[in-house]
Amino acid sequence: MRQLELLAHFYQRSTPSFFMPEPPAESPVEARFRHIPGTPPPPWPEEVRGLIREMTLRQSTIKEVIETAELAPRWAQRPRLDPDGGAALASKIRHWLDVEVESQRGLDPYGSLRLWLDSAEAVGIFVSQSSRVDVNVMRGFALADEVAPLVLLNLGDDPRARAFTLIHETVHLLINSQSRDWQADEELCNATAASVLMPAESFRLEYAAAQQASSSLLDVVDRVARAFGTTPDATAVRTGRLDLARWEEIRRVRAAIGLRAPRSGRGGNYYRNVVARFGPAFIDTVFRAVDTGAISALGAARALDGTKIDKFPKLRAELAERAAR
């Protein structure tokens, strides 16, 4: 039985599916998928499909824990938004996430990611992260659900880019577009995410202040990016969209940004990595269910993909320390 469970984990299938007379038919992949510009549109590569299966199983686990523990899903309180809402769409999303522009200032890249991750989980989105797929193939995706919507971010990406992906996927979840035009959906979510992270009025003011300090467009873009906790590339694109510089200049700046060495990850504290992998909201939900007797410690270990029970105290401590930071 243990070997069968390991096999099920390897193939990202449920254990009972191996007892069926034939392979179960897969439902269409309802994942919103963001990747590096220039990569091909769907269908997804096999390694991404495997990751989607893993996240779908995790989403099912979250829903089971929520229902068993009789917890109220916060996602039910989300606003109903019109995808054709234009500039007002970004303003409504930012207000709902309850993030002030001033709170973005002075944060390092990981602090910026933490700000948006916490705001997303506070409204009922479960955020997981994984490095199983190369960032050049996939930056992130979302799995819609009425109880436990899930966003997966690529740990190999710049933390500021992960924040952008998180908001991009949040827009997908909120508008829940039924459009068959994949490219149009992506453009809408990119534009809205940029507006959420870098509101036009605040951006123009910050840009003007940066121009007073430097005549170099690249330096101006870097200064504004630091102010909003966004990547210089996303900041350069926002500069062009707001007609603050000519696109010819923007292209040169983006080319210079692309030549820079990629950011390296932080490496690893085991418990911090577990929290990043599963998401603090998921782990907290599992522990709350244990504390109320809704599930056993063994059930929690299974929900956390085999995390050993003797590691729970330190994992709880990491959650507490994270909340205090």
Side-chain angles (χ1 to χ4, degrees):
M1 190 62 191
R2 179 56 181 157
Q3 295 303 315
L4 185 59
E5 289 174 345
L6 291 172
L7 195 65
H9 178 76
F10 178 82
Y11 285 110
Q12 297 304 319
R13 306 288 185 178
S14 65
T15 303
S17 68
F18 286 88
F19 294 94
M20 299 177 72
E22 59 184 23
E26 283 194 291
S27 59
V29 177
E30 298 297 333
R32 303 298 186 178
F33 178 45
R34 181 169 182 255
H35 47 202
I36 299 291
T39 52
W44 327 122
E46 183 54 38
E47 62 266 34
V48 175
R49 295 182 66 86
L51 190 55
I52 289 172
R53 292 188 196 106
E54 179 184 343
M55 292 302 109
T56 301
L57 289 172
R58 184 171 300 172
Q59 187 179 58
S60 297
T61 300
I62 296 170
K63 291 174 65 175
E64 183 179 348
V65 170
I66 288 174
E67 291 164 4
T68 302
E70 299 182 342
L71 303 174
R74 286 167 286 184
W75 182 245
Q77 306 303 316
R78 70 189 183 281
R80 306 294 174 171
L81 300 176
D82 180 2
D84 298 320
L89 178 63
S91 178
K92 289 177 180 178
I93 291 173
R94 189 178 182 104
H95 177 75
W96 172 64
L97 291 173
D98 194 25
V99 176
E100 299 291 338
V101 172
E102 285 303 313
S103 65
Q104 293 176 249
R105 298 183 185 278
L107 297 176
D108 65 20
Y110 286 93
S112 181
L113 172 61
R114 165 76 185 275
L115 172 70
W116 293 104
L117 194 153
D118 285 353
S119 67
E121 292 208 318
V123 297
I125 299 172
F126 290 85
V127 185
S128 292
Q129 301 185 69
S130 173
S131 57
R132 276 181 47 194
V133 176
D134 192 277
V135 72
N136 290 306
V137 175
M138 181 277 299
R139 299 189 107 155
F141 60 76
L143 294 169
D145 188 78
E146 289 299 309
V147 174
L150 186 146
V151 170
L152 188 282
L153 304 177
N154 196 320
L155 269 170
D157 211 353
D158 184 306
R160 299 165 299 179
R162 277 181 259 164
F164 191 101
T165 299
L166 173 58
I167 304 304
H168 172 106
E169 300 301 341
T170 296
V171 178
H172 272 304
L173 291 171
L174 284 169
I175 64 174
N176 197 20
S177 173
Q178 301 301 311
S179 169
R180 294 179 182 269
D181 190 341
W182 177 84
Q183 188 60 41
D185 275 1
E186 286 299 288
E187 290 173 1
L188 170 64
C189 291
N190 272 338
T192 304
S195 298
V196 170
L197 291 162
M198 299 169 278
E201 184 178 351
S202 299
F203 191 95
R204 289 191 176 95
L205 290 172
E206 198 65 48
Y207 189 88
Q211 280 186 311
Q212 295 294 318
S214 176
S215 59
S216 163
L217 180 57
L218 179 58
D219 188 46
V220 168
V221 166
D222 281 337
R223 288 171 182 268
V224 177
R226 285 193 294 272
F228 287 96
T230 49
T231 63
D233 189 66
T235 307
V237 173
R238 186 69 168 147
T239 299
R241 297 288 186 197
L242 294 175
D243 296 321
L244 296 172
R246 297 193 307 273
W247 278 106
E248 181 181 351
E249 296 176 285
I250 296 295
R251 282 190 286 272
R252 285 198 294 267
V253 165
R254 294 186 72 192
I257 292 168
L259 293 174
R260 294 172 176 172
R263 300 185 64 89
S264 58
R266 276 182 168 175
N269 173 290
Y270 170 81
Y271 297 98
R272 187 172 295 167
N273 289 342
V274 171
V275 171
R277 177 185 168 200
F278 289 99
F282 176 45
I283 298 174
D284 181 64
T285 299
V286 169
F287 284 155
R288 286 168 61 194
V290 172
D291 293 341
T292 59
I295 63 173
S296 66
L298 182 59
R302 288 173 176 162
L304 294 172
D305 200 18
T307 300
K308 294 182 178 179
I309 294 174
D310 62 7
K311 295 187 182 295
F312 283 6
K314 287 188 177 180
L315 190 53
R316 286 177 182 269
E318 174 60 32
L319 278 181
E321 288 175 16
R322 185 184 184 282
R325 285 197 289 266

mmCIF file of all heavy atoms in Angstrom, residues 16-59:
data_model
loop_
_atom_site.group_PDB
_atom_site.id
_atom_site.type_symbol
_atom_site.label_atom_id
_atom_site.label_comp_id
_atom_site.label_asym_id
_atom_site.label_seq_id
_atom_site.Cartn_x
_atom_site.Cartn_y
_atom_site.Cartn_z
ATOM 1 N N PRO A 16 -7.113 5.782 -5.195
ATOM 2 C CA PRO A 16 -8.212 4.932 -5.696
ATOM 3 C C PRO A 16 -8.249 4.816 -7.221
ATOM 4 O O PRO A 16 -8.776 3.836 -7.745
ATOM 5 C CB PRO A 16 -9.468 5.643 -5.174
ATOM 6 C CG PRO A 16 -9.006 6.386 -3.969
ATOM 7 C CD PRO A 16 -7.622 6.839 -4.314
ATOM 8 N N SER A 17 -7.690 5.804 -7.939
ATOM 9 C CA SER A 17 -7.761 5.745 -9.399
ATOM 10 C C SER A 17 -7.024 4.541 -9.964
ATOM 11 O O SER A 17 -7.339 4.059 -11.057
ATOM 12 C CB SER A 17 -7.194 7.035 -10.010
ATOM 13 O OG SER A 17 -5.803 7.129 -9.803
ATOM 14 N N PHE A 18 -6.060 3.981 -9.207
ATOM 15 C CA PHE A 18 -5.311 2.828 -9.682
ATOM 16 C C PHE A 18 -6.153 1.541 -9.638
ATOM 17 O O PHE A 18 -5.761 0.524 -10.209
ATOM 18 C CB PHE A 18 -4.031 2.648 -8.861
ATOM 19 C CG PHE A 18 -2.973 3.664 -9.191
ATOM 20 C CD1 PHE A 18 -2.938 4.882 -8.536
ATOM 21 C CD2 PHE A 18 -2.027 3.415 -10.171
ATOM 22 C CE1 PHE A 18 -1.975 5.831 -8.838
ATOM 23 C CE2 PHE A 18 -1.053 4.360 -10.487
ATOM 24 C CZ PHE A 18 -1.030 5.570 -9.819
ATOM 25 N N PHE A 19 -7.283 1.573 -8.953
ATOM 26 C CA PHE A 19 -8.147 0.402 -8.868
ATOM 27 C C PHE A 19 -9.274 0.452 -9.897
ATOM 28 O O PHE A 19 -10.103 -0.456 -9.958
ATOM 29 C CB PHE A 19 -8.742 0.285 -7.461
ATOM 30 C CG PHE A 19 -7.713 -0.005 -6.406
ATOM 31 C CD1 PHE A 19 -7.121 1.027 -5.693
ATOM 32 C CD2 PHE A 19 -7.306 -1.302 -6.134
ATOM 33 C CE1 PHE A 19 -6.152 0.776 -4.730
ATOM 34 C CE2 PHE A 19 -6.353 -1.570 -5.169
ATOM 35 C CZ PHE A 19 -5.768 -0.528 -4.473
ATOM 36 N N MET A 20 -9.329 1.505 -10.702
ATOM 37 C CA MET A 20 -10.384 1.630 -11.704
ATOM 38 C C MET A 20 -10.049 0.767 -12.919
ATOM 39 O O MET A 20 -8.878 0.500 -13.213
ATOM 40 C CB MET A 20 -10.535 3.095 -12.111
ATOM 41 C CG MET A 20 -10.930 4.005 -10.958
ATOM 42 S SD MET A 20 -11.032 5.757 -11.417
ATOM 43 C CE MET A 20 -12.516 5.726 -12.414
ATOM 44 N N PRO A 21 -11.064 0.306 -13.654
ATOM 45 C CA PRO A 21 -10.816 -0.584 -14.801
ATOM 46 C C PRO A 21 -10.084 0.103 -15.947
ATOM 47 O O PRO A 21 -9.464 -0.561 -16.774
ATOM 48 C CB PRO A 21 -12.223 -1.014 -15.219
ATOM 49 C CG PRO A 21 -13.132 0.046 -14.673
ATOM 50 C CD PRO A 21 -12.498 0.507 -13.398
ATOM 51 N N GLU A 22 -10.167 1.436 -16.010
ATOM 52 C CA GLU A 22 -9.448 2.183 -17.042
ATOM 53 C C GLU A 22 -9.103 3.566 -16.500
ATOM 54 O O GLU A 22 -9.703 4.005 -15.506
ATOM 55 C CB GLU A 22 -10.288 2.305 -18.314
ATOM 56 C CG GLU A 22 -11.616 3.011 -18.103
ATOM 57 C CD GLU A 22 -12.469 3.022 -19.363
ATOM 58 O OE1 GLU A 22 -12.260 2.151 -20.240
ATOM 59 O OE2 GLU A 22 -13.347 3.887 -19.461
ATOM 60 N N PRO A 23 -8.123 4.247 -17.098
ATOM 61 C CA PRO A 23 -7.738 5.564 -16.585
ATOM 62 C C PRO A 23 -8.924 6.520 -16.579
ATOM 63 O O PRO A 23 -9.702 6.555 -17.547
ATOM 64 C CB PRO A 23 -6.661 6.035 -17.575
ATOM 65 C CG PRO A 23 -6.118 4.781 -18.172
ATOM 66 C CD PRO A 23 -7.283 3.839 -18.236
ATOM 67 N N PRO A 24 -9.117 7.266 -15.499
ATOM 68 C CA PRO A 24 -10.230 8.208 -15.452
ATOM 69 C C PRO A 24 -10.032 9.335 -16.454
ATOM 70 O O PRO A 24 -8.913 9.775 -16.710
ATOM 71 C CB PRO A 24 -10.185 8.738 -14.009
ATOM 72 C CG PRO A 24 -8.761 8.544 -13.582
ATOM 73 C CD PRO A 24 -8.293 7.308 -14.276
ATOM 74 N N ALA A 25 -11.117 9.778 -17.047
ATOM 75 C CA ALA A 25 -11.052 10.905 -17.986
ATOM 76 C C ALA A 25 -10.765 12.182 -17.215
ATOM 77 O O ALA A 25 -11.372 12.437 -16.170
ATOM 78 C CB ALA A 25 -12.364 11.027 -18.749
ATOM 79 N N GLU A 26 -9.835 12.972 -17.727
ATOM 80 C CA GLU A 26 -9.498 14.225 -17.067
ATOM 81 C C GLU A 26 -10.435 15.323 -17.531
ATOM 82 O O GLU A 26 -10.701 15.458 -18.733
ATOM 83 C CB GLU A 26 -8.057 14.626 -17.370
ATOM 84 C CG GLU A 26 -7.030 13.850 -16.595
ATOM 85 C CD GLU A 26 -5.672 14.512 -16.678
ATOM 86 O OE1 GLU A 26 -5.074 14.498 -17.762
ATOM 87 O OE2 GLU A 26 -5.208 15.032 -15.655
ATOM 88 N N SER A 27 -10.942 16.097 -16.583
ATOM 89 C CA SER A 27 -11.749 17.257 -16.956
ATOM 90 C C SER A 27 -10.828 18.323 -17.530
ATOM 91 O O SER A 27 -9.618 18.306 -17.289
ATOM 92 C CB SER A 27 -12.489 17.789 -15.725
ATOM 93 O OG SER A 27 -11.565 18.141 -14.725
ATOM 94 N N PRO A 28 -11.369 19.280 -18.291
ATOM 95 C CA PRO A 28 -10.522 20.342 -18.848
ATOM 96 C C PRO A 28 -9.763 21.068 -17.755
ATOM 97 O O PRO A 28 -10.265 21.258 -16.655
ATOM 98 C CB PRO A 28 -11.536 21.265 -19.535
ATOM 99 C CG PRO A 28 -12.714 20.403 -19.817
ATOM 100 C CD PRO A 28 -12.770 19.421 -18.682
ATOM 101 N N VAL A 29 -8.532 21.440 -18.058
ATOM 102 C CA VAL A 29 -7.702 22.139 -17.080
ATOM 103 C C VAL A 29 -8.213 23.568 -16.926
ATOM 104 O O VAL A 29 -8.094 24.376 -17.835
ATOM 105 C CB VAL A 29 -6.225 22.149 -17.531
ATOM 106 C CG1 VAL A 29 -5.388 22.947 -16.545
ATOM 107 C CG2 VAL A 29 -5.709 20.732 -17.629
ATOM 108 N N GLU A 30 -8.791 23.867 -15.769
ATOM 109 C CA GLU A 30 -9.340 25.200 -15.531
ATOM 110 C C GLU A 30 -8.312 26.066 -14.833
ATOM 111 O O GLU A 30 -8.579 26.680 -13.801
ATOM 112 C CB GLU A 30 -10.619 25.096 -14.685
ATOM 113 C CG GLU A 30 -11.729 24.310 -15.360
ATOM 114 C CD GLU A 30 -12.211 24.963 -16.638
ATOM 115 O OE1 GLU A 30 -12.097 26.206 -16.753
ATOM 116 O OE2 GLU A 30 -12.676 24.250 -17.533
ATOM 117 N N ALA A 31 -7.123 26.093 -15.354
ATOM 118 C CA ALA A 31 -6.052 26.891 -14.749
ATOM 119 C C ALA A 31 -5.783 28.118 -15.581
ATOM 120 O O ALA A 31 -5.778 28.071 -16.799
ATOM 121 C CB ALA A 31 -4.774 26.066 -14.644
ATOM 122 N N ARG A 32 -5.599 29.238 -14.922
ATOM 123 C CA ARG A 32 -5.150 30.453 -15.585
ATOM 124 C C ARG A 32 -3.633 30.439 -15.506
ATOM 125 O O ARG A 32 -3.064 30.334 -14.421
ATOM 126 C CB ARG A 32 -5.720 31.684 -14.883
ATOM 127 C CG ARG A 32 -7.247 31.691 -14.795
ATOM 128 C CD ARG A 32 -7.878 31.702 -16.168
ATOM 129 N NE ARG A 32 -9.321 31.849 -16.076
ATOM 130 C CZ ARG A 32 -10.124 31.921 -17.122
ATOM 131 N NH1 ARG A 32 -9.625 31.842 -18.337
ATOM 132 N NH2 ARG A 32 -11.419 32.062 -16.967
ATOM 133 N N PHE A 33 -2.990 30.597 -16.634
ATOM 134 C CA PHE A 33 -1.587 30.241 -16.754
ATOM 135 C C PHE A 33 -0.784 31.432 -17.257
ATOM 136 O O PHE A 33 -1.052 31.953 -18.330
ATOM 137 C CB PHE A 33 -1.508 29.067 -17.728
ATOM 138 C CG PHE A 33 -0.143 28.553 -18.059
ATOM 139 C CD1 PHE A 33 0.793 28.340 -17.071
ATOM 140 C CD2 PHE A 33 0.184 28.234 -19.359
ATOM 141 C CE1 PHE A 33 2.038 27.823 -17.377
ATOM 142 C CE2 PHE A 33 1.422 27.716 -19.678
ATOM 143 C CZ PHE A 33 2.352 27.518 -18.688
ATOM 144 N N ARG A 34 0.188 31.918 -16.457
ATOM 145 C CA ARG A 34 1.003 33.059 -16.873
ATOM 146 C C ARG A 34 2.434 32.596 -17.092
ATOM 147 O O ARG A 34 3.007 31.904 -16.266
ATOM 148 C CB ARG A 34 0.969 34.156 -15.811
ATOM 149 C CG ARG A 34 1.805 35.378 -16.220
ATOM 150 C CD ARG A 34 1.550 36.565 -15.296
ATOM 151 N NE ARG A 34 2.330 37.695 -15.773
ATOM 152 C CZ ARG A 34 3.442 38.146 -15.196
ATOM 153 N NH1 ARG A 34 3.897 37.550 -14.124
ATOM 154 N NH2 ARG A 34 4.081 39.178 -15.697
ATOM 155 N N HIS A 35 3.012 33.008 -18.220
ATOM 156 C CA HIS A 35 4.388 32.610 -18.492
ATOM 157 C C HIS A 35 5.160 33.765 -19.114
ATOM 158 O O HIS A 35 4.635 34.846 -19.339
ATOM 159 C CB HIS A 35 4.445 31.355 -19.362
ATOM 160 C CG HIS A 35 3.539 31.386 -20.566
ATOM 161 N ND1 HIS A 35 3.112 30.259 -21.197
ATOM 162 C CD2 HIS A 35 2.981 32.415 -21.243
ATOM 163 C CE1 HIS A 35 2.334 30.583 -22.220
ATOM 164 N NE2 HIS A 35 2.244 31.881 -22.265
ATOM 165 N N ILE A 36 6.441 33.543 -19.379
ATOM 166 C CA ILE A 36 7.313 34.570 -19.920
ATOM 167 C C ILE A 36 6.834 34.964 -21.311
ATOM 168 O O ILE A 36 6.465 34.104 -22.109
ATOM 169 C CB ILE A 36 8.768 34.043 -20.008
ATOM 170 C CG1 ILE A 36 9.285 33.673 -18.619
ATOM 171 C CG2 ILE A 36 9.689 35.045 -20.682
ATOM 172 C CD1 ILE A 36 9.505 34.840 -17.705
ATOM 173 N N PRO A 37 6.824 36.276 -21.647
ATOM 174 C CA PRO A 37 6.427 36.691 -22.994
ATOM 175 C C PRO A 37 7.249 35.958 -24.056
ATOM 176 O O PRO A 37 8.451 35.769 -23.923
ATOM 177 C CB PRO A 37 6.740 38.194 -22.999
ATOM 178 C CG PRO A 37 6.626 38.601 -21.571
ATOM 179 C CD PRO A 37 7.142 37.424 -20.783
ATOM 180 N N GLY A 38 6.547 35.511 -25.083
ATOM 181 C CA GLY A 38 7.236 34.806 -26.156
ATOM 182 C C GLY A 38 7.061 33.304 -26.102
ATOM 183 O O GLY A 38 7.296 32.613 -27.095
ATOM 184 N N THR A 39 6.640 32.770 -24.946
ATOM 185 C CA THR A 39 6.391 31.331 -24.873
ATOM 186 C C THR A 39 5.022 31.040 -25.481
ATOM 187 O O THR A 39 4.160 31.907 -25.533
ATOM 188 C CB THR A 39 6.425 30.830 -23.413
ATOM 189 O OG1 THR A 39 5.547 31.644 -22.638
ATOM 190 C CG2 THR A 39 7.818 30.916 -22.845
ATOM 191 N N PRO A 40 4.794 29.830 -25.962
ATOM 192 C CA PRO A 40 3.551 29.537 -26.679
ATOM 193 C C PRO A 40 2.336 29.504 -25.759
ATOM 194 O O PRO A 40 2.458 29.268 -24.561
ATOM 195 C CB PRO A 40 3.825 28.159 -27.286
ATOM 196 C CG PRO A 40 4.846 27.549 -26.390
ATOM 197 C CD PRO A 40 5.712 28.684 -25.933
ATOM 198 N N PRO A 41 1.156 29.749 -26.312
ATOM 199 C CA PRO A 41 -0.082 29.672 -25.534
ATOM 200 C C PRO A 41 -0.450 28.225 -25.243
ATOM 201 O O PRO A 41 0.266 27.305 -25.654
ATOM 202 C CB PRO A 41 -1.107 30.338 -26.464
ATOM 203 C CG PRO A 41 -0.577 30.064 -27.840
ATOM 204 C CD PRO A 41 0.916 30.120 -27.709
ATOM 205 N N PRO A 42 -1.581 27.970 -24.537
ATOM 206 C CA PRO A 42 -2.006 26.600 -24.274
ATOM 207 C C PRO A 42 -2.117 25.803 -25.578
ATOM 208 O O PRO A 42 -2.260 26.387 -26.644
ATOM 209 C CB PRO A 42 -3.370 26.791 -23.616
ATOM 210 C CG PRO A 42 -3.316 28.177 -23.059
ATOM 211 C CD PRO A 42 -2.468 28.969 -23.986
ATOM 212 N N PRO A 43 -2.073 24.450 -25.534
ATOM 213 C CA PRO A 43 -2.133 23.588 -24.347
ATOM 214 C C PRO A 43 -0.838 23.583 -23.527
ATOM 215 O O PRO A 43 0.233 23.868 -24.032
ATOM 216 C CB PRO A 43 -2.383 22.197 -24.940
ATOM 217 C CG PRO A 43 -1.768 22.268 -26.295
ATOM 218 C CD PRO A 43 -2.007 23.665 -26.789
ATOM 219 N N TRP A 44 -0.996 23.255 -22.232
ATOM 220 C CA TRP A 44 0.122 23.322 -21.302
ATOM 221 C C TRP A 44 1.114 22.180 -21.518
ATOM 222 O O TRP A 44 0.735 21.072 -21.848
ATOM 223 C CB TRP A 44 -0.394 23.253 -19.855
ATOM 224 C CG TRP A 44 -1.719 23.874 -19.623
ATOM 225 C CD1 TRP A 44 -2.818 23.261 -19.120
ATOM 226 C CD2 TRP A 44 -2.100 25.225 -19.883
ATOM 227 N NE1 TRP A 44 -3.858 24.146 -19.042
ATOM 228 C CE2 TRP A 44 -3.450 25.353 -19.516
ATOM 229 C CE3 TRP A 44 -1.431 26.330 -20.401
ATOM 230 C CZ2 TRP A 44 -4.147 26.550 -19.636
ATOM 231 C CZ3 TRP A 44 -2.122 27.527 -20.530
ATOM 232 C CH2 TRP A 44 -3.453 27.622 -20.150
ATOM 233 N N PRO A 45 2.400 22.425 -21.228
ATOM 234 C CA PRO A 45 3.397 21.336 -21.250
ATOM 235 C C PRO A 45 3.065 20.300 -20.177
ATOM 236 O O PRO A 45 2.400 20.607 -19.184
ATOM 237 C CB PRO A 45 4.709 22.063 -20.926
ATOM 238 C CG PRO A 45 4.451 23.503 -21.226
ATOM 239 C CD PRO A 45 2.998 23.727 -20.956
ATOM 240 N N GLU A 46 3.541 19.073 -20.358
ATOM 241 C CA GLU A 46 3.206 17.981 -19.440
ATOM 242 C C GLU A 46 3.641 18.269 -18.016
ATOM 243 O O GLU A 46 2.930 17.939 -17.068
ATOM 244 C CB GLU A 46 3.830 16.674 -19.926
ATOM 245 C CG GLU A 46 3.475 15.465 -19.056
ATOM 246 C CD GLU A 46 1.979 15.277 -18.876
ATOM 247 O OE1 GLU A 46 1.228 15.504 -19.847
ATOM 248 O OE2 GLU A 46 1.557 14.898 -17.767
ATOM 249 N N GLU A 47 4.850 18.899 -17.825
ATOM 250 C CA GLU A 47 5.293 19.174 -16.461
ATOM 251 C C GLU A 47 4.368 20.162 -15.759
ATOM 252 O O GLU A 47 4.183 20.107 -14.545
ATOM 253 C CB GLU A 47 6.743 19.682 -16.443
ATOM 254 C CG GLU A 47 6.978 20.978 -17.186
ATOM 255 C CD GLU A 47 7.428 20.775 -18.614
ATOM 256 O OE1 GLU A 47 6.988 19.791 -19.230
ATOM 257 O OE2 GLU A 47 8.214 21.597 -19.116
ATOM 258 N N VAL A 48 3.768 21.065 -16.530
ATOM 259 C CA VAL A 48 2.815 22.008 -15.940
ATOM 260 C C VAL A 48 1.521 21.287 -15.601
ATOM 261 O O VAL A 48 0.913 21.521 -14.550
ATOM 262 C CB VAL A 48 2.549 23.195 -16.889
ATOM 263 C CG1 VAL A 48 1.472 24.113 -16.320
ATOM 264 C CG2 VAL A 48 3.839 23.975 -17.129
ATOM 265 N N ARG A 49 1.086 20.381 -16.479
ATOM 266 C CA ARG A 49 -0.133 19.617 -16.196
ATOM 267 C C ARG A 49 0.025 18.798 -14.915
ATOM 268 O O ARG A 49 -0.906 18.668 -14.116
ATOM 269 C CB ARG A 49 -0.474 18.701 -17.377
ATOM 270 C CG ARG A 49 -0.843 19.452 -18.651
ATOM 271 C CD ARG A 49 -1.215 18.474 -19.764
ATOM 272 N NE ARG A 49 -2.440 17.767 -19.428
ATOM 273 C CZ ARG A 49 -3.661 18.227 -19.672
ATOM 274 N NH1 ARG A 49 -3.826 19.410 -20.233
ATOM 275 N NH2 ARG A 49 -4.723 17.517 -19.358
ATOM 276 N N GLY A 50 1.230 18.234 -14.702
ATOM 277 C CA GLY A 50 1.472 17.493 -13.469
ATOM 278 C C GLY A 50 1.376 18.382 -12.254
ATOM 279 O O GLY A 50 0.820 17.985 -11.219
ATOM 280 N N LEU A 51 1.901 19.602 -12.359
ATOM 281 C CA LEU A 51 1.829 20.543 -11.245
ATOM 282 C C LEU A 51 0.385 20.976 -11.005
ATOM 283 O O LEU A 51 -0.039 21.154 -9.854
ATOM 284 C CB LEU A 51 2.708 21.760 -11.548
ATOM 285 C CG LEU A 51 2.964 22.746 -10.410
ATOM 286 C CD1 LEU A 51 3.545 22.047 -9.183
ATOM 287 C CD2 LEU A 51 3.898 23.861 -10.872
ATOM 288 N N ILE A 52 -0.378 21.144 -12.070
ATOM 289 C CA ILE A 52 -1.793 21.496 -11.919
ATOM 290 C C ILE A 52 -2.541 20.376 -11.199
ATOM 291 O O ILE A 52 -3.385 20.631 -10.331
ATOM 292 C CB ILE A 52 -2.426 21.788 -13.290
ATOM 293 C CG1 ILE A 52 -1.883 23.108 -13.845
ATOM 294 C CG2 ILE A 52 -3.949 21.861 -13.191
ATOM 295 C CD1 ILE A 52 -2.285 23.411 -15.269
ATOM 296 N N ARG A 53 -2.223 19.117 -11.546
ATOM 297 C CA ARG A 53 -2.865 17.994 -10.838
ATOM 298 C C ARG A 53 -2.541 18.046 -9.346
ATOM 299 O O ARG A 53 -3.407 17.830 -8.493
ATOM 300 C CB ARG A 53 -2.390 16.661 -11.418
ATOM 301 C CG ARG A 53 -2.866 16.383 -12.825
ATOM 302 C CD ARG A 53 -2.526 14.960 -13.240
ATOM 303 N NE ARG A 53 -2.632 14.806 -14.683
ATOM 304 C CZ ARG A 53 -1.591 14.710 -15.506
ATOM 305 N NH1 ARG A 53 -0.362 14.708 -15.013
ATOM 306 N NH2 ARG A 53 -1.757 14.571 -16.806
ATOM 307 N N GLU A 54 -1.264 18.311 -9.035
ATOM 308 C CA GLU A 54 -0.858 18.396 -7.628
ATOM 309 C C GLU A 54 -1.616 19.499 -6.906
ATOM 310 O O GLU A 54 -2.104 19.317 -5.777
ATOM 311 C CB GLU A 54 0.647 18.655 -7.531
ATOM 312 C CG GLU A 54 1.148 18.772 -6.087
ATOM 313 C CD GLU A 54 2.621 19.115 -6.008
ATOM 314 O OE1 GLU A 54 3.339 18.964 -7.019
ATOM 315 O OE2 GLU A 54 3.060 19.552 -4.922
ATOM 316 N N MET A 55 -1.739 20.658 -7.544
ATOM 317 C CA MET A 55 -2.432 21.775 -6.909
ATOM 318 C C MET A 55 -3.938 21.529 -6.812
ATOM 319 O O MET A 55 -4.595 21.971 -5.875
ATOM 320 C CB MET A 55 -2.159 23.076 -7.682
ATOM 321 C CG MET A 55 -0.725 23.570 -7.592
ATOM 322 S SD MET A 55 -0.171 23.862 -5.882
ATOM 323 C CE MET A 55 0.988 22.494 -5.692
ATOM 324 N N THR A 56 -4.492 20.803 -7.793
ATOM 325 C CA THR A 56 -5.916 20.454 -7.726
ATOM 326 C C THR A 56 -6.187 19.548 -6.531
ATOM 327 O O THR A 56 -7.193 19.718 -5.819
ATOM 328 C CB THR A 56 -6.357 19.766 -9.031
ATOM 329 O OG1 THR A 56 -6.116 20.648 -10.137
ATOM 330 C CG2 THR A 56 -7.837 19.425 -8.993
ATOM 331 N N LEU A 57 -5.284 18.593 -6.294
ATOM 332 C CA LEU A 57 -5.414 17.732 -5.113
ATOM 333 C C LEU A 57 -5.283 18.549 -3.830
ATOM 334 O O LEU A 57 -6.012 18.332 -2.857
ATOM 335 C CB LEU A 57 -4.360 16.623 -5.144
ATOM 336 C CG LEU A 57 -4.563 15.524 -6.180
ATOM 337 C CD1 LEU A 57 -3.344 14.604 -6.224
ATOM 338 C CD2 LEU A 57 -5.818 14.720 -5.885
ATOM 339 N N ARG A 58 -4.346 19.496 -3.824
ATOM 340 C CA ARG A 58 -4.181 20.350 -2.643
ATOM 341 C C ARG A 58 -5.428 21.184 -2.405
ATOM 342 O O ARG A 58 -5.879 21.353 -1.273
ATOM 343 C CB ARG A 58 -2.964 21.262 -2.811
ATOM 344 C CG ARG A 58 -2.685 22.121 -1.571
ATOM 345 C CD ARG A 58 -1.352 22.843 -1.672
ATOM 346 N NE ARG A 58 -0.262 21.886 -1.808
ATOM 347 C CZ ARG A 58 1.000 22.218 -2.064
ATOM 348 N NH1 ARG A 58 1.327 23.487 -2.238
ATOM 349 N NH2 ARG A 58 1.931 21.300 -2.158
ATOM 350 N N GLN A 59 -6.004 21.705 -3.485
ATOM 351 C CA GLN A 59 -7.230 22.488 -3.368
ATOM 352 C C GLN A 59 -8.366 21.643 -2.783
ATOM 353 O O GLN A 59 -9.125 22.107 -1.926
ATOM 354 C CB GLN A 59 -7.617 23.033 -4.739
ATOM 355 C CG GLN A 59 -8.791 24.003 -4.723
ATOM 356 C CD GLN A 59 -9.086 24.524 -6.122
ATOM 357 O OE1 GLN A 59 -9.355 23.749 -7.031
ATOM 358 N NE2 GLN A 59 -9.035 25.836 -6.292
#
